[in-house]
Amino acid sequence: MDKSIKIASVQMHVSNDNEKNLKTMEDCLKHIDNLFKDVDLVVFPELCSMSLDQTMEKQAEKIPGLISNLFSKWAKKYNKWLIPGSFYEKYSDKIYNSAPVFSPSGKLLGVYRKRYPWSPYEKTSPGQTPFTFKIKGLGTIGLMICYDMWFPEVARDLTNLGAEVIIVPTMTTTGDRLHEQIISQSTAITHQCYLISCNGVGIGGVGGSQIIDPEGMILQRNGEGTVIQTAIIDFDHVKKIRERGVAGITNPHKAFKKNKQYFKVYNE
């Protein structure tokens, strides 16, 4: 049985006009549906549907709500697994930077709330819970958002829950994108998983999106232009690398589980 999916990571241009951003997102989905019908999962950048010159308080919505309902309709219309980046979610008296996941039937599978807002600049409340979802008969996918990547414990939580792929919607507009690219590779290597880092362009980022395999090999990397990256995600390949090791010799995923350690920092 083929245990693989084809993923499309959309490095799209983001503007200050949320209606224009939503149109760009659906135009990309239409293009993917017309040209790459065998794409199974589509991911967009962090906050790409928002108006970045408006406050989060003005834009935050509950789930379900207008914007999440729209994303649900798109997933069903184009018959794709859909991770539409993230948006401002209003929950109780807090606002989160949240990434929903929709199945090809339009079902909301769950919502990941960014655990590490980019302090001191980002004012959303931090989420507390790792989030993974399963594609039946294939494998498990985990979510992070942008700055989460800088904290290895977030990825460790996901792979501990079985994640074989980590998807990272991102909105990096700054010079440390080069550092994030290195962190992306190291995360893929140390957790022996695929990693998809999807950044925006325009006011939504400096690009540099990447798709990386479980040995840290870069399958896709682009500059500062708009692009739709595509790659095959092979869950059997993850299993093989985790069994036989990076470069056939080194297996940090297995070693971490076997060698139980106590780290004082986690109780401080």
Side-chain angles (χ1 to χ4, degrees):
M1 177 183 174
D2 180 17
K3 295 187 68 174
S4 67
I5 61 171
K6 182 183 284 189
I7 191 168
S9 175
V10 182
Q11 182 172 290
M12 64 170 267
H13 185 273
V14 182
S15 74
N16 277 327
D17 184 338
N18 71 311
E19 292 297 328
K20 184 176 180 181
N21 292 336
L22 288 168
K23 183 179 185 303
T24 299
M25 292 177 74
E26 187 169 20
D27 285 346
C28 289
L29 283 169
K30 288 178 182 176
H31 179 71
I32 291 167
D33 187 55
N34 288 332
L35 197 60
F36 312 119
K37 284 193 176 293
D38 58 343
V39 162
D40 302 289
L41 186 153
V42 182
V43 58
F44 286 91
E46 177 186 17
L47 298 176
C48 66
S49 59
M50 298 286 95
S51 296
L52 300 181
D53 62 348
Q54 295 183 25
T55 65
M56 65 181 190
E57 290 82 4
K58 185 175 180 179
Q59 298 181 85
E61 290 188 13
K62 292 182 178 180
I63 299 175
L66 289 175
I67 195 164
S68 60
N69 288 343
L70 177 62
F71 295 148
S72 172
K73 289 177 183 177
W74 286 353
K76 185 174 183 179
K77 179 179 179 180
Y78 298 105
N79 192 34
K80 309 290 184 191
W81 296 88
L82 178 62
I83 302 173
S86 66
F87 66 95
Y88 294 124
E89 178 203 3
K90 184 184 296 183
Y91 183 81
S92 186
D93 60 344
K94 294 182 178 180
I95 295 175
Y96 296 95
N97 184 344
S98 300
V101 178
F102 298 91
S103 74
S105 67
K107 180 182 178 181
L108 175 65
L109 297 184
V111 178
Y112 172 68
R113 294 169 178 158
K114 187 175 184 179
R115 297 177 74 176
Y116 282 93
W118 188 37
S119 60
Y121 313 103
E122 188 176 358
K123 306 303 181 184
T124 52
S125 296
Q128 301 293 326
T129 308
F131 174 74
T132 62
F133 66 97
K134 293 181 182 294
I135 297 181
K136 188 175 180 179
L138 295 177
T140 302
I141 297 174
L143 277 183
M144 299 194 291
I145 299 176
C146 201
Y147 195 43
D148 287 334
M149 192 192 313
W150 290 71
F151 302 89
E153 297 83 0
V154 181
R156 181 68 68 188
D157 254 359
L158 296 175
T159 55
N160 189 52
L161 291 171
E164 297 144 297
V165 182
I166 297 176
I167 295 177
V168 194
T170 298
M171 188 188 74
T172 298
T173 62
T174 47
D176 55 353
R177 182 60 185 160
L178 293 173
H179 303 81
E180 286 184 345
Q181 290 176 327
I182 296 170
I183 294 169
S184 296
Q185 280 186 273
S186 66
T187 299
I189 294 167
T190 56
H191 296 278
Q192 295 172 278
C193 66
Y194 286 95
L195 190 139
I196 294 92
S197 176
C198 179
N199 198 23
V201 295
I203 65 169
V206 295
S209 298
Q210 296 186 121
I211 300 177
I212 303 164
D213 84 354
E215 294 185 276
M217 302 300 173
I218 296 171
L219 304 179
Q220 292 280 320
R221 175 185 280 176
N222 290 88
E224 298 180 12
T226 58
V227 66
I228 297 174
Q229 296 181 339
T230 55
I232 301 297
I233 303 301
D234 185 348
F235 292 94
D236 277 336
H237 184 57
V238 178
K239 181 180 179 181
K240 178 175 66 177
I241 296 302
R242 285 179 174 178
E243 286 178 350
R244 305 193 69 177
V246 173
I249 53 172
T250 304
N251 203 321
H253 181 75
K254 187 184 294 183
F256 184 84
K257 289 179 176 295
K258 281 189 173 182
N259 183 355
K260 303 296 183 183
Q261 295 288 336
Y262 166 79
F263 297 97
K264 184 180 178 182
V265 66
Y266 296 134
N267 287 320
E268 289 183 350

